Amino acid sequence: MFARLSTYQGSPVPPEGDLTARSEAIVKLVENLPGFRGAYYLVERETGEARSLTLWENEAAMVESEEEAARVRAESSQREGQRVVSVEHFEVAFVRLAADTPMGT
C-alpha cells in the first residue's frame, strides 16, 4: 500500500465546527479512482494546519491518481481558504487499527 500526505495551512477552525460533511464531500471526488483504499483528514483547529492522507492499493494507482488528486486538492483548498504547503508520497510499511476503534469521532 502507498500513501499521499498533503499538508495545508489556513485559518483557525472554530472548536464547535463539524468538519465531517466537507471532508466527506472531498473524499467522494477521489474514492472511485482505481486503487483508492481510504482517507484520513487531520486538523489542528487552533493553527489552521491540516493534513490529508490518502491510501492507495499500490504505487501505480497512486501515481495514476496524481492529476485528479492535484485538481481536487487545488479546488478544495481554495474553496476552504487554505494553501497547499506540501505533498509527499510514502510506502505504507505497517497498519493496525484496533477492532473496536470508533471512526469519525
Side-chain angles (χ1 to χ4, degrees), residues 30-53:
V30 296
E31 70 183 351
N32 292 321
L33 293 176
F36 176 84
R37 291 294 172 253
Y40 290 88
Y41 187 62
L42 313 169
V43 178
E44 173 51 58
R45 289 178 183 264
E46 290 181 13
T47 65
E49 185 176 356
R51 289 189 172 90
S52 64
L53 178 76

Side-chain angles (χ1 to χ4, degrees), residues 18-34:
D18 182 12
L19 303 172
T20 304
R22 289 187 296 188
S23 299
E24 286 182 353
I26 294 168
V27 170
K28 286 182 186 289
L29 299 173
V30 296
E31 70 183 351
N32 292 321
L33 293 176

Side-chain angles (χ1 to χ4, degrees), residues 27-101:
V27 170
K28 286 182 186 289
L29 299 173
V30 296
E31 70 183 351
N32 292 321
L33 293 176
F36 176 84
R37 291 294 172 253
Y40 290 88
Y41 187 62
L42 313 169
V43 178
E44 173 51 58
R45 289 178 183 264
E46 290 181 13
T47 65
E49 185 176 356
R51 289 189 172 90
S52 64
L53 178 76
T54 54
L55 300 169
W56 302 91
E57 181 178 341
N58 53 46
E59 187 174 20
M62 182 178 65
V63 169
E64 183 65 28
S65 71
E66 279 301 328
E67 188 174 314
E68 182 65 10
R71 184 189 68 75
V72 169
R73 199 170 33 250
E75 289 177 7
S76 62
S77 62
Q78 182 179 19
R79 185 175 51 250
E80 299 298 324
Q82 299 174 317
R83 66 180 175 86
V84 178
V85 175
S86 66
V87 178
E88 301 171 276
H89 303 88
F90 298 92
E91 182 174 0
V92 177
F94 179 80
V95 174
R96 175 174 287 164
L97 297 174
D100 61 344
T101 302

